[in-house]
C-alpha cells in the first residue's frame, strides 16, 4: 500500500508543517530565495504564484524554510520548479518531503524540471532522467554588429496583441506542449519582437523584468540566424543593462552571439524529465521551430 506523505516533518530538533504558497507573504518567500542566492524579486514570486501552485514548509513560528511549485499545462503535463530549502535543511530530507507532496498533486502527468547541481541526486531518486544542460547566460550587454536578413521580405518588428495566437502556436511547436495561459501572461508582462516572412510569424523573443534586470525568453525560431534576429533588438534596448538568457545551446551562432553581446555562461542546470522524454515532444520531422531560450528555469 502506498503511504501518503505526512502533513508535518520532525527535523533538526523542531517540526515543520506544510502550507500553501498562496497564503504566505511575498516578503517571506523573497527571504527564502535570497537565502540560497537566487535572484527572484517579490514580483517574480507573485508572477509564479499567479501561474502555478505550490507548497511551503513552515516552522512553529511561521518562518518559510522551503518551497516546491508546479505549473500544469492541460491534464497531461507540468513543469516543477522553485524547489528550495534553506541551507541548514538541504541535507536533512526537507526537499524530498516537499517534492513528494508536490508529486502527489501532479500524479499521472509527464513532468519536466531544471535541476541545480545540489538537487540532481534528489531528482534521480524520484525517477527523473537527465536530458540536456541549460546554460545560464547573463551580464551587462552591448549591441554587436547590425541586423541583416537574407530575404528582402523578412522583417523584425514589435509584437502586438493581435500576434498572440501565432506566438502561442509557435511556442507549442518549439516546446512540445500547448501552454496558452502562460504564454498570454508572459506576453502581458513583456516586450516582444517577431520575425515575419511574407506576413507569417517565423520566430519570436519576449523580454520581461526579472531578478537583477531582464530575462529574454521564451525565444522560438527555426535556425540560429532567426533567433539572433529577434533577440538583437532586446540587447540594443537594454544596452548597459543586465540581461539573462537560459538556453540549451552550447555552441553555434546563437551561443556565440550571446557571449559576444556580454552574456557569457554564468552557471548551468540540468533539464530532467519524468514520463515522456524531451524527444517524445518533438513536432514534425525535427526541422521545425525549436526553443532557443526558456521562459525561465522554473517555467521551462
Amino acid at each position: 500500500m502506498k503511504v501518503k506523505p505526512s502533513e508535518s516533518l520532525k527535523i533538526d530538533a523542531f517540526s515543520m508543517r506544510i502550507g500553501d504558497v498562496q497564503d504566505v507573504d511575498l516578503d517571506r518567500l523573497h527571504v527564502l530565495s535570497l537565502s540560497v542566492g537566487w535572484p527572484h524579486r517579490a514580483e517574480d514570486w507573485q508572477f509564479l504564484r499567479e501561474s502555478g501552485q505550490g507548497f511551503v514548509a513552515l516552522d512553529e513560528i511561521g518562518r518559510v524554510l522551503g518551497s516546491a511549485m508546479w505549473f500544469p499545462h492541460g491534464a497531461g503535463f507540468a513543469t516543477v520548479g522553485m524547489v528550495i530549502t534553506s541551507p541548514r535543511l538541504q541535507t536533512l530530507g526537507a526537499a524530498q518531503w516537499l517534492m513528494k507532496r508536490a508529486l502527489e498533486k501532479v500524479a499521472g502527468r509527464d513532468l519536466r524540471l531544471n535541476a541545480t547541481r545540489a538537487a540532481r541526486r534528489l531528482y534521480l531518486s524520484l525517477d527523473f532522467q537527465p536530458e540536456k544542460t541549460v546554460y545560464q547566460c547573463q551580464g551587462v550587454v552591448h549591441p554587436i554588429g547590425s541586423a541583416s536578413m537574407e530575404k528582402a521580405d523578412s522583417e523584425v518588428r514589435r509584437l502586438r496583441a493581435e500576434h498572440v495566437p501565432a506566438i502561442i502556436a509557435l511556442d507549442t511547436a518549439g516546446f512540445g506542449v500547448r501552454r496558452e495561459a502562460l504564454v498570454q501572461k508572459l506576453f502581458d508582462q513583456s516586450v516582444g519582437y517577431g520575425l515575419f516572412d511574407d506576413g507569417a510569424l517565423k520566430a519570436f523573443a519576449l523580454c520581461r523584468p526579472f531578478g537583477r534586470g531582464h530575462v529574454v525568453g521564451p525565444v522560438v525560431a527555426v535556425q540560429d540566424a532567426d533567433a539572433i534576429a529577434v533577440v538583437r533588438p532586446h540587447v540594443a534596448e537594454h544596452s548597459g543593462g543586465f540581461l539573462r538568457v537560459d538556453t540549451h545551446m552550447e555552441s553555434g551562432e546563437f551561443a556565440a552571439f550571446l557571449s559576444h553581446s556580454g552574456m557569457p555562461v554564468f552557471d548551468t542546470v540540468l533539464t530532467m524529465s519524468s514520463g515522456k522524454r524531451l524527444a517524445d515532444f518533438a513536432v514534425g520531422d525535427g526541422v521545425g521551430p525549436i526553443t532557443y531560450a526558456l521562459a525561465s528555469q522554473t517555467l521551462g
Side-chain angles (χ1 to χ4, degrees), residues 69-73 77-81 111-113 175 298-300:
M69 295 191 70
W70 61 94
F71 305 86
H73 303 291
F77 180 84
T79 58
V80 176
L111 304 175
R112 196 179 304 170
L113 56 77
F175 191 75
T298 293
L299 298 170

Side-chain angles (χ1 to χ4, degrees), residues 151-163:
K151 295 193 295 183
D153 52 6
S154 295
E155 63 173 332
V156 175
R157 61 178 188 261
R158 181 81 171 262
L159 293 169
R160 302 188 299 271
E162 67 196 63
H163 299 127

Side-chain angles (χ1 to χ4, degrees), residues 60-185:
E60 297 97 325
I61 60 174
R63 289 177 298 187
V64 181
L65 302 180
S67 65
M69 295 191 70
W70 61 94
F71 305 86
H73 303 291
F77 180 84
T79 58
V80 176
M82 300 308 288
V83 181
I84 304 173
T85 55
S86 60
R88 64 185 289 212
L89 303 180
Q90 286 177 351
T91 60
L92 299 177
Q96 186 176 60
W97 177 62
L98 279 165
M99 274 296 296
K100 286 183 176 180
R101 294 286 305 174
L103 292 177
E104 186 181 50
K105 293 294 185 180
V106 293
R109 286 183 167 93
D110 297 308
L111 304 175
R112 196 179 304 170
L113 56 77
N114 291 299
T116 63
R117 291 180 185 85
R120 288 174 192 175
R121 182 174 296 180
L122 165 66
Y123 297 133
L124 286 169
S125 75
L126 296 170
D127 295 326
F128 281 83
Q129 300 301 312
E131 294 281 5
K132 293 181 178 180
T133 299
V134 177
Y135 299 90
Q136 180 180 329
C137 304
Q138 64 183 48
V140 177
V141 297
H142 52 270
I144 60 168
S146 59
S148 62
M149 300 308 301
E150 292 182 2
K151 295 193 295 183
D153 52 6
S154 295
E155 63 173 332
V156 175
R157 61 178 188 261
R158 181 81 171 262
L159 293 169
R160 302 188 299 271
E162 67 196 63
H163 299 127
V164 169
I167 295 169
I168 292 170
L170 204 57
D171 180 76
T172 302
F175 191 75
V177 173
R178 187 173 178 87
R179 43 183 188 169
E180 182 173 354
L182 176 63
V183 173
Q184 179 68 65
K185 284 182 64 65

Side-chain angles (χ1 to χ4, degrees), residues 224 228 249-257:
D224 283 30
I228 292 169
M249 303 301 163
E250 177 183 11
S251 59
E253 294 179 12
F254 183 73
F257 168 78

Side-chain angles (χ1 to χ4, degrees), residues 5 40 43 54 102 119 173-174 182 210 259-260 296:
H40 298 71
E43 295 90 340
L182 176 63
F210 175 83
S259 180
H260 294 157
S296 70

Side-chain angles (χ1 to χ4, degrees), residues 269-299:
V269 295
L270 180 64
T271 299
M272 304 182 73
S273 64
S274 175
K276 286 185 179 180
R277 303 300 298 266
L278 278 178
D280 297 327
F281 290 94
V283 176
D285 55 7
V287 297
I290 61 174
T291 299
Y292 272 81
L294 311 182
S296 70
Q297 289 183 13
T298 293
L299 298 170

